[in-house]
C-alpha cells in the first residue's frame, strides 16, 4: 500500500473529506488529491502533521514497504536536537543557579563577617548601622546578580571587590573625620559609596574594553536589559551624589556654625552679657543662602557652640576670679 492509499484510508476512517483535511493542514485540496493519487508525496513537515492529525505513528502512515527513510531520519534528528537543547538548557540553568547561589553566599559571608566584627567583637564602626538600615549588601548582591544574568561577569566581580574594599576604607576614613571635626559628623557612608561606585565604574569600563574583541553582538533583549540596568545605576549614582553633596555642605555649615557660636558664647560670657536667647539673623555669614544645606547646618549647630562656649568661659578661673 502506497503512502497515498494509506492517507486516503486513514482519512476516510476519521470521516474527513479532502477539503477538511486540507483546511486542517492549511494547504489546498489539490495537494491532498495529488498525495492520494500518488502524483506527489507529502513533505516532511506535512507528513509529521498528518501523523499527528490522523493519530497514527509515522511508520503506519508511511507503510512498511514505502517507509520514507528521509522523513524518519529528519524526524529522529529533530527529536534528538530538541532533546539536546532541553538538556543543554537544563545544564545552563543549573550552572547559573549554582553561580547565583555562590554570589549570594559571598555577600552573606561578608555580612556575617561584619556582624562578627562590629557587633559581636565590638569593633568601632561608623558605617555598620547605615549598612543595615539601607540593606546595602542585599542591594549590591541583587545588582551583582543582574550583572551576572547579563553576562557581565567582570562588572559583577568588580562590585564584590568594591564591597570588600569599601568596608574597611570607608570605616577608617569616616572614623578619622569624626575625630577631627568639632561636630563629629559621620561621612562614612559617603566614603563607602565613593569606593563602591569607583570599583563599579572600573568594572564597566573593563567590560566595554572586553566587548570590543567579541565577534558576536548581544541579543536585542539582553542589550535592552543592559541599557535599562545602566540607566537605573546612573540614576542611583546621581541620587547618591546629590545626597552626599547636601550632607557635606550641611557638615561644613555645621562646623562653621559651631565654631562661630563657640567664639560668640565665650565673648558674651567674658563681657558679662546674659546668654543670648537664640541665633540672630545678622550672625549668619553673608555667603550662606537662606534654606541651603550650609545655612541649615549653621543654624542648628551655632546654638550648641554658643552654649558650650558660654559655659566654658563662665566656668573658667578667670571668669570666676573676675
Amino acid at each position: 500500500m502506497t503512502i497515498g492509499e494509506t492517507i486516503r484510508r486513514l482519512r476516510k476512517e476519521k470521516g474527513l473529506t479532502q477539503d477538511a483535511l486540507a483546511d486542517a493542514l492549511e494547504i489546498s485540496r489539490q495537494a491532498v488529491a495529488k498525495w492520494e493519487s500518488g502524483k506527489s508525496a507529502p513533505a516532511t513537515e506535512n507528513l509529521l502533521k498528518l501523523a499527528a492529525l490522523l493519530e497514527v505513528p509515522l511508520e503506519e502512515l508511511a507503510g512498511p514497504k514505502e517507509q520514507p527513510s528521509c522523513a524518519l531520519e529528519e524526524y529522529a534528528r529533530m527529536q534528538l536536537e530538541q532533546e539536546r537543547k532541553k538538556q543543554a538548557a537544563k545544564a545552563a540553568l543549573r550552572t547559573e543557579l549554582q553561580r547565583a547561589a555562590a554570589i549570594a553566599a559571598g555577600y552573606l559571608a561578608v555580612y556575617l563577617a561584619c556582624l562578627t566584627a562590629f557587633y559581636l567583637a565590638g569593633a568601632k564602626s561608623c558605617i555598620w548601622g547605615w549598612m543595615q538600615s539601607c540593606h546595602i549588601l542585599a542591594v549590591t548582591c541583587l545588582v551583582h546578580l543582574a550583572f551576572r544574568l547579563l553576562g557581565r561577569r567582570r562588572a559583577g566581580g568588580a562590585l564584590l571587590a568594591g564591597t570588600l574594599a569599601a568596608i574597611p576604607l570607608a570605616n577608617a576614613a569616616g572614623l578619622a573625620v569624626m575625630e577631627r571635626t568639632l561636630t563629629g559628623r559621620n561621612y562614612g557612608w559617603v566614603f563607602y559609596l565613593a569606593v563602591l561606585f569607583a570599583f563599579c565604574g572600573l568594572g564597566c569600563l573593563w567590560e566595554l574594553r572586553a566587548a570590543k574583541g567579541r565577534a558576536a553582538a548581544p541579543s536585542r533583549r539582553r542589550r535592552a536589559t543592559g541599557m535599562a540596568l545602566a540607566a537605573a545605576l546612573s540614576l542611583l549614582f546621581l541620587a547618591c551624589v546629590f545626597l552626599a553633596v547636601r550632607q557635606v555642605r550641611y557638615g561644613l555649615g555645621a562646623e562653621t556654625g559651631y565654631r562661630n557660636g563657640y567664639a560668640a558664647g565665650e565673648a558674651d560670657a567674658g563681657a558679662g552679657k546674659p546668654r543670648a536667647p537664640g541665633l540672630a539673623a545678622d550672625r549668619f555669614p553673608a555667603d550662606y543662602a537662606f534654606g541651603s544645606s550650609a545655612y541649615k547646618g549653621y543654624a542648628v549647630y551655632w546654638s550648641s557652640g554658643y552654649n558650650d562656649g558660654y559655659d566654658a568661659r563662665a566656668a573658667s578661673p578667670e571668669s570666676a576670679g573676675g
Side-chain angles (χ1 to χ4, degrees):
M1 182 178 291
T2 64
I3 295 178
E5 293 172 347
T6 303
I7 294 174
R8 183 188 299 113
R9 175 178 62 82
L10 294 173
R11 173 179 62 78
K12 290 182 178 180
E13 289 178 359
K14 287 290 185 181
L16 299 173
T17 63
Q18 288 185 345
D19 289 327
L21 185 63
D23 290 340
L25 297 176
E26 298 181 349
I27 58 175
S28 64
R29 186 193 64 79
Q30 290 78 6
V32 176
K34 287 182 179 181
W35 294 346
E36 295 183 354
S37 63
K39 294 181 179 180
S40 65
T44 302
E45 182 180 358
N46 289 327
L47 194 62
L48 296 174
K49 289 182 179 180
L50 275 170
L53 180 63
L54 299 175
E55 299 179 345
V56 294
L58 187 61
E59 293 82 357
E60 181 181 347
L61 180 63
K65 294 183 179 179
E66 299 184 23
Q67 183 173 331
S69 58
C70 61
L72 290 176
E73 290 176 1
E74 179 66 18
Y75 177 76
R77 188 191 66 79
M78 291 173 59
Q79 291 294 103
L80 290 175
E81 183 67 17
Q82 290 179 359
E83 185 65 22
R84 187 191 66 80
K85 289 181 178 179
K86 288 181 181 179
Q87 294 298 330
K90 289 181 180 179
L93 178 59
R94 184 164 53 251
T95 301
E96 288 299 326
L97 289 177
Q98 291 174 350
R99 290 173 176 172
I103 292 172
Y107 284 93
L108 179 60
V110 174
Y111 175 83
L112 293 177
C114 292
L115 184 66
T116 302
F118 296 135
Y119 183 74
L120 298 179
K124 194 173 182 180
S125 172
C126 64
I127 60 172
W128 179 236
W130 168 79
M131 290 175 64
Q132 287 185 302
S133 63
C134 295
H135 308 287
I136 188 66
L137 289 177
V139 174
T140 308
C141 180
L142 291 177
V143 176
H144 190 159
L145 291 174
F147 277 137
R148 177 65 205 179
L149 291 176
L150 293 173
R152 302 295 186 261
R153 292 174 294 179
R154 296 175 180 84
L159 201 60
L160 180 57
T163 299
L164 296 175
I167 293 174
L169 292 177
N171 190 59
L175 291 175
V177 172
M178 289 177 65
E179 293 175 356
R180 287 168 173 76
T181 55
L182 297 174
T183 57
R185 298 286 299 171
N186 184 2
Y187 297 108
W189 66 274
V190 177
F191 294 115
Y192 186 101
L193 292 178
V195 174
L196 190 63
F197 277 113
F199 271 80
C200 184
L202 291 175
C204 292
L205 291 177
W206 190 11
E207 285 289 351
L208 291 175
R209 184 175 181 180
K212 294 180 180 179
R214 296 172 186 165
S219 63
R220 181 178 300 179
R221 178 178 298 179
R222 176 169 287 191
R223 187 165 55 248
T225 306
M227 293 177 63
L229 179 60
L233 290 177
S234 299
L235 291 176
L236 180 62
F237 173 75
L238 293 176
C240 291
V241 170
F242 175 75
L243 292 175
V245 170
R246 284 179 59 88
Q247 286 296 316
V248 170
R249 288 179 176 175
Y250 183 94
L252 293 176
E255 286 290 310
T256 304
Y258 186 90
R259 188 178 296 108
N260 292 350
Y262 194 96
E266 280 189 321
D268 287 354
K273 296 181 179 179
R275 192 185 301 267
L279 175 61
D282 58 355
R283 293 184 182 268
F284 279 96
D287 55 344
Y288 279 21
F290 176 79
S292 64
S293 299
Y295 186 96
K296 294 177 181 178
Y298 190 97
V300 169
Y301 281 89
W302 188 93
S303 299
S304 298
Y306 180 88
N307 289 326
D308 289 346
Y310 194 97
D311 293 339
R313 182 58 184 272
S316 65
E318 296 179 359
S319 178

